[in-house]
Amino acid sequence: MSKQYFKRHVLEKNKNNSKEKEKPNYNILSKNLKKIYPIGLPRTCSPLSLSSLSLTLSQNSTDSSLTDVSVPLDEKISLAIRLIAPAEKREVPVAKVVQQPIADPGDQEGLRRCNWITKSSDKVYVQFHDECWGVPVYDDNELFELLALSGMLMDFNWTEILKRRLLLRESFAGFDPNQVAKMEEKEIMDMASNKELNITESRVRCIVDNAKCITKVVREYGSFSSYIWEYVNYKPMINKFRYPRNVPLRSPKAEAISKDLLRRGFRFVGPVIVYSFMQATGMTIDHLVDCFRYRECVNLAERPWRHV
């Protein structure tokens, strides 16, 4: 091989090596570029592709180095790789589970009731609480009925009494005092032997005797309603009890009414029975203040007296 040929070969080899050094290596970007262009990229990138990449990245970066023409190409490539590199794993904050408050036992159908109404309370008792208990009553027949039912609390609870309410109403002629006062011995014995009524002979006679006493009160006062409501100045007594333990079993007013009823010949009308009667007839509002019926009964109590 001649010296001239060898010299030309060395010059060409150095020239090729110089070109390879000038050619940027874009293979390092091919893997990461796919994260920006999911549809794929050609194996080689032109300066136009890098310009597009710089624009895309600069929109999400506050670093102006990508678009600065004075920054060397190698630095731009390095910065681009850092920006598209996988981000460090971050902990995703777990949403706090807010535990819902346990529903109050008395909160049936979304309504808060007095604490003695629970999930196990019979429907007839709940209905009585929601519709009757604490509602002012001025009709003589209704007052007589509630007085008779309250007297039965010595033997039964409200649920047991209310389940037989319609049957009792039918047996005692709608609790019309005039009709009940005229009941004869045979009728009394028939009711006492009625297993569905399940009341003793003495209880039947008590109701009949109280009916006779009411007729005497009516002759004196014009109505039993006028007589009984006079004790509270014809306006319900509004209490503001928060807890069941605050609700009394008797009151001075109940004791005064009981004493006068006994004087007039009424039976089974002790202070505790009378106070239960006052609660049932709305003479006293004893719904707990957070019960939904409290405000409703108070609104009724604040209306003008409309006795019969």
Side-chain angles (χ1 to χ4, degrees):
M1 185 180 297
S2 63
K3 291 182 178 181
Q4 188 177 359
Y5 174 80
F6 180 78
K7 185 177 181 179
R8 188 171 62 251
H9 177 74
V10 171
L11 289 173
E12 288 178 359
K13 186 177 180 180
N14 291 338
K15 187 178 180 180
N16 290 336
N17 289 338
S18 178
K19 286 182 179 180
E20 287 181 2
K21 288 181 181 179
E22 291 177 1
K23 181 180 178 181
N25 185 6
Y26 299 117
N27 291 336
I28 192 172
L29 291 176
S30 60
K31 180 180 179 181
N32 290 309
L33 287 175
K34 290 181 181 179
K35 295 182 180 181
I36 298 177
Y37 301 102
I39 57 175
L41 288 172
R43 292 183 179 277
T44 58
C45 297
S46 65
L48 179 60
S49 301
L50 286 173
S51 299
S52 302
L53 173 60
S54 297
L55 178 62
T56 304
L57 292 174
S58 63
Q59 291 173 353
N60 299 319
S61 174
T62 57
D63 196 332
S64 59
S65 302
L66 290 170
T67 55
D68 190 348
V69 294
S70 63
V71 177
L73 181 60
D74 291 344
E75 289 187 19
K76 287 186 178 182
I77 294 172
S78 177
L79 177 59
I81 292 173
R82 287 201 305 272
L83 290 175
I84 64 177
E88 292 183 2
K89 264 190 175 181
R90 296 180 181 178
E91 276 190 26
V92 179
V94 180
K96 291 184 178 179
V97 179
V98 179
Q99 187 175 3
Q100 296 297 328
I102 299 174
D104 188 86
D107 189 6
Q108 300 177 21
E109 301 174 4
L111 299 174
R112 187 176 183 83
R113 295 174 169 86
C114 295
N115 288 17
W116 49 84
I117 301 294
T118 65
K119 288 183 178 180
S120 60
S121 296
D122 193 281
K123 289 182 179 179
V124 69
Y125 184 46
V126 176
Q127 183 179 8
F128 179 65
H129 168 275
D130 290 358
E131 299 176 7
C132 305
W133 201 73
V135 175
V137 175
Y138 306 101
D139 179 74
D140 277 8
N141 291 14
E142 292 180 29
L143 287 169
F144 176 37
E145 176 181 334
L146 290 171
L147 182 64
L149 299 183
S150 297
M152 294 175 66
L153 288 170
M154 294 183 65
D155 305 317
F156 310 98
N157 59 44
W158 270 119
T159 300
E160 295 169 332
I161 295 169
L162 293 170
K163 285 183 176 180
R164 286 175 287 163
R165 188 177 189 179
L166 294 179
L167 185 57
L168 288 165
R169 189 178 292 170
E170 182 181 347
S171 301
F172 286 99
F175 285 97
D176 181 346
N178 295 313
Q179 295 295 324
V180 176
K182 297 176 182 177
M183 283 186 174
E184 299 179 352
E185 188 68 20
K186 184 179 183 304
E187 293 177 277
I188 293 174
M189 296 306 296
D190 286 344
M191 281 191 284
S193 60
N194 189 329
K195 293 183 178 180
E196 287 186 274
L197 282 176
N198 191 28
I199 54 177
T200 62
E201 180 186 340
S202 62
R203 176 64 59 187
V204 177
R205 292 187 184 278
C206 168
I207 294 174
V208 174
D209 290 344
N210 285 350
K212 294 176 181 179
C213 293
I214 288 177
T215 59
K216 294 178 182 179
V217 170
V218 171
R219 286 196 293 269
E220 183 179 349
Y221 286 86
S223 69
F224 183 61
S225 179
S226 297
Y227 161 75
I228 204 71
W229 278 95
E230 185 180 20
Y231 278 96
V232 291
N233 296 321
Y234 311 105
K235 188 174 182 179
M237 301 171 64
I238 301 173
N239 294 314
K240 297 181 179 180
F241 300 130
R242 291 190 174 277
Y243 308 102
R245 64 174 179 270
N246 300 140
V247 182
L249 293 176
R250 57 198 289 170
S251 70
K253 191 71 67 177
E255 291 174 359
I257 296 173
S258 172
K259 185 177 180 179
D260 193 63
L261 288 174
L262 289 169
R263 183 182 66 82
R264 292 174 179 276
F266 285 81
R267 299 170 57 194
F268 291 99
V269 285
V272 176
I273 294 299
V274 170
Y275 194 73
S276 295
F277 168 73
M278 294 175 68
Q279 292 173 319
T281 59
M283 293 178 68
T284 178
I285 308 300
D286 279 0
H287 283 284
L288 302 184
V289 292
D290 58 355
C291 173
F292 85 100
R293 284 294 290 166
Y294 177 77
R295 178 48 54 187
E296 294 177 0
C297 288
V298 167
N299 290 339
L300 291 174
E302 291 174 346
R303 293 180 180 181
W305 190 56
R306 47 190 178 83
H307 70 287
V308 178

